[in-house]
Amino acid sequence: MYKFDNGQISLEDFGQPVGMNLKNSNRWVKRAQMIPWLEIEKKYAKLFSNKKGNVAKSLRLGLGARIIQAEYGYSDAEIPLQIQENPYLQYFCGYKAFDDSKPPFDPSMMVYFRKRLTPEIIGEINEMIISAEQAKLEKEKEESQKDESDDSDDIDKNSGTMIVDATCAPSQISFPQDISLLNKARECSEKIIDELHVKGEQKPRTYRKKAHKDYTSYARIRKPKAKQTRKAIGNQLGYLKMNIGHIEKMLAGGKTFPAKFEEKFSTIQTIYTQQKEMYDNRTHSVKDRIVSLSQPWIRPIVRGKAKAKVEFGVKLDISVCEGWTRLERHSFDAYNESTGLKDMIEQYKERTGHYPERVLVDKIYRTRENLKYCKQHKTRLSGPALGRPKKDAEVDKKQNYIDECERVEVERKFSLAKRKCGMGMIVTRLKETTCHSIAMSVLLLNLRRIEKLRAEILLLFACSLKFGFVQ
């Protein structure tokens, strides 16, 4: 069951104890006014079709808690305590008065907030916030330029710039090594055997002490040689194969899995198959390679960067239009970025009603199909022409330089998202909550941009009134 909130109250109506004096200049008070809470709540309430039962936590509280967590990087246990102690955070989360008698919710509720606020819902909320802010900016622009006439003939013409790039949001997992992954799979298979075993029956022999001793003796070697590594992997494969055989016999005998081990066993079998294939073929690559037992959906993403050639997490594309950031595509599988450019441009047209005048991208996006598509829609795709340069070809070096300089904006967005908005290390452990965290980082980027825009407008207004500023 869900109950609607009454909307954003003013800070003067917020109940404050005697002696407390909250200020309108606080960033959380300003941020509360940036978000169209009522419009978002109308969509959020559709998730609660049941009219009976306990009243669900409001969207204001759930989304507010997630924005605070993305901003500061607090743990799930710390978030309710911070909200309980801070009146500004309570105002941002929709409280009517300051109340520090108890935490607003149990820390486990943060998992449900992340599951309910899917990347699609976060994307819609992001679009609502951008649209609301653009409407305010347009209104201010119209008031300042009342005498200027609009050209209705240019509505259908291409206009605007779209910047597109891809990156990887790494997940917090230990660096995958074949031997350590096999050791974890073996230990998990031993737990499954212990769970399936019934007292009074003969327990299958697993040689767990010997297997553990083999692993630790290898792990203590500072710089193991290739022969030592191959021997250690072969030993762990043998132990794991034996354990899988025991489990399959126990299941064939009528025993059933506990729910928590059903998916784990399937993952263990896949790990064994992949590692055996690489061991037999003496290779280090395999299709859909599993690199984490606890998060088997994570894949290695080859990036070729100086810091790390390979990252492990979600690959994603974002677009930047007039400074606003949108999450266009994300996947745990490594994909070619160029295949999604057409869809991004079509989404731009759906939002604005026209195609962009130019699209600033990396070299990888400049495929023949994308160039042909952009030419059909009279959109210029930045970058050099394909193939060898022609002798008589005229290259606009100045325009290419301008495009490359402006394309850097998307790199700044990536840098800010990874340093300040939580995209630099995804700590959530579930597939859906990981995708939610990435979408939330993009939402926080736009909230930061709104704060910056409003600060610039306030500064211009103050300068126009000839206020004095002391540095």
Side-chain angles (χ1 to χ4, degrees), residues 15 37 76 85 183 211 244 252 350 407 413 440 446:
W37 298 107
D76 288 356
E85 298 164 1
N183 180 64
I244 292 173
E350 189 177 342
R407 198 193 68 80
K413 296 292 184 183
M440 185 57 65
N446 290 319

Side-chain angles (χ1 to χ4, degrees), residues 55-295:
V55 178
K57 300 295 182 184
S58 68
L59 165 73
R60 181 76 179 266
L61 181 59
L63 181 60
R66 280 296 298 126
I67 291 174
I68 295 166
Q69 188 177 39
E71 178 74 32
Y72 294 119
Y74 292 141
S75 65
D76 288 356
E78 184 68 18
I79 282 290
L81 297 177
Q82 289 291 337
I83 296 174
Q84 180 187 3
E85 298 164 1
N86 193 320
Y88 285 113
L89 297 185
Q90 289 190 11
Y91 176 78
F92 178 73
C93 291
Y95 277 57
K96 306 303 178 188
F98 178 65
D99 179 18
D100 61 348
S101 59
K102 61 178 182 179
F105 51 81
D106 189 83
S108 62
M109 281 299 299
M110 292 298 293
V111 181
Y112 293 100
F113 292 153
R114 286 191 285 265
K115 285 184 177 180
R116 288 172 184 168
L117 296 171
T118 62
E120 291 74 24
I121 293 176
I122 294 294
E124 292 176 1
I125 293 172
N126 187 40
E127 204 60 43
M128 289 181 192
I129 293 171
I130 293 173
S131 300
E133 188 62 24
Q134 282 180 330
K136 288 180 183 179
L137 293 173
E138 285 293 329
K139 188 176 180 181
E140 292 174 2
K141 188 177 179 181
E142 287 176 3
E143 289 178 356
S144 62
Q145 299 177 353
K146 288 182 179 179
D147 299 333
E148 293 185 7
S149 59
D150 296 328
D151 296 329
S152 57
D153 297 335
D154 296 339
I155 293 176
D156 296 330
K157 289 185 178 180
N158 292 5
S159 64
T161 300
M162 182 179 182
I163 312 172
V164 178
D165 203 358
T167 190
C168 177
S171 294
Q172 191 181 43
I173 63 170
S174 58
F175 189 83
Q177 292 180 330
D178 294 338
I179 185 67
S180 59
L181 187 62
L182 284 169
N183 180 64
K184 289 179 181 178
R186 176 190 58 79
E187 290 176 345
C188 186
S189 66
E190 291 167 358
K191 291 179 182 178
I192 295 175
I193 291 173
D194 294 341
E195 192 74 26
L196 293 176
H197 174 65
V198 179
K199 287 184 179 180
E201 296 181 359
Q202 185 177 0
K203 191 173 185 179
R205 182 169 292 183
T206 58
Y207 297 95
R208 65 185 66 192
K209 289 184 179 180
K210 187 176 185 302
H212 178 70
K213 185 177 179 180
D214 289 347
Y215 171 71
T216 53
S217 62
Y218 170 81
R220 281 193 289 265
I221 301 173
R222 188 179 181 88
K223 292 183 179 180
K225 296 179 180 179
K227 285 185 178 181
Q228 292 173 316
T229 301
R230 181 169 174 80
K231 182 181 177 181
I233 291 173
N235 290 339
Q236 294 299 319
L237 281 171
Y239 295 128
L240 185 57
K241 181 182 179 181
M242 180 176 57
N243 291 349
I244 292 173
H246 290 326
I247 294 170
E248 288 175 346
K249 284 181 181 179
M250 296 171 85
L251 293 175
K255 296 181 180 178
T256 56
F257 264 130
K260 62 179 180 179
F261 286 127
E262 189 171 354
E263 188 177 349
K264 276 281 174 70
F265 182 60
S266 176
T267 304
I268 289 170
Q269 288 177 310
T270 307
I271 288 174
Y272 172 77
T273 304
Q274 290 182 350
Q275 293 293 330
K276 188 70 167 64
E277 181 182 340
M278 290 190 291
Y279 181 82
D280 292 339
N281 298 328
R282 294 179 178 269
T283 183
H284 297 287
S285 62
V286 69
K287 186 179 180 182
D288 295 331
R289 182 177 181 177
I290 294 176
V291 294
S292 173
L293 181 62
S294 59
Q295 300 179 65

